[in-house]
Amino acid sequence: MQDVNKRNFEEEVIQEEKPVIVDFWGPSCQPCLKLMPDVENLAEEYGDQVKIVKLNSAENRKVCINHRVMGLPAFILFKDGKEVNRISGGELTKEDIKNLIDESLEVSQ
């Protein structure tokens, strides 16, 4: 799973042709850290169907502000450079993220 930041966000997320899920996480966010292995497993499971990247919110505050990320963890789905869906909150599960990915694949077909 690739890390993105303010320098490569445009290229790796906005300009990407396939759907992209951005995992906005923080190093002091316990729900974020708990979900991280599940997110990494989903990235492997879906392979080339969808790109899943992670962004450290503590190091990239401006990106978070630009995309109105108010709480962590947050997952935003981008398609053709535009946000099409998002989920967030400390109660998120692997299934919630999987559903977001599956919805993005349905939209893509």
Side-chain angles (χ1 to χ4, degrees):
M1 215 168 92
Q2 178 181 355
D3 287 300
V4 295
N5 56 49
K6 61 186 174 195
R7 290 179 293 288
N8 66 359
F9 192 87
E10 178 78 22
E11 178 184 347
E12 297 296 335
V13 177
I14 305 301
Q15 296 176 4
E16 179 63 51
E17 292 181 12
K18 63 182 152 188
V20 180
I21 305 275
V22 180
D23 172 5
F24 290 84
W25 70 282
S28 61
C29 169
Q30 289 305 311
C32 298
L33 299 174
K34 183 180 172 193
L35 275 174
M36 199 167 288
D38 291 333
V39 176
E40 291 171 355
N41 289 338
L42 287 169
E44 288 180 26
E45 180 181 331
Y46 283 91
D48 289 337
Q49 294 177 299
V50 64
K51 182 176 183 178
I52 302 176
V53 299
K54 57 186 178 176
L55 181 130
N56 183 330
S57 62
E59 297 174 355
N60 296 281
R61 292 196 182 277
K62 188 169 183 174
V63 177
C64 294
I65 292 167
N66 290 344
H67 294 283
R68 300 173 322 278
V69 174
M70 303 296 184
L72 299 177
F75 295 84
I76 301 180
L77 166 62
F78 291 87
K79 176 83 173 100
D80 297 323
K82 298 191 179 358
E83 178 184 332
V84 294
N85 203 354
R86 74 168 57 204
I87 56 174
S88 64
E91 301 299 318
L92 288 176
T93 66
K94 181 178 181 179
E95 282 303 309
D96 295 326
I97 302 162
K98 188 170 175 34
N99 290 339
L100 181 66
I101 295 169
D102 290 341
E103 288 174 17
S104 77
L105 295 177
E106 289 173 15
V107 169
S108 300
Q109 296 175 1

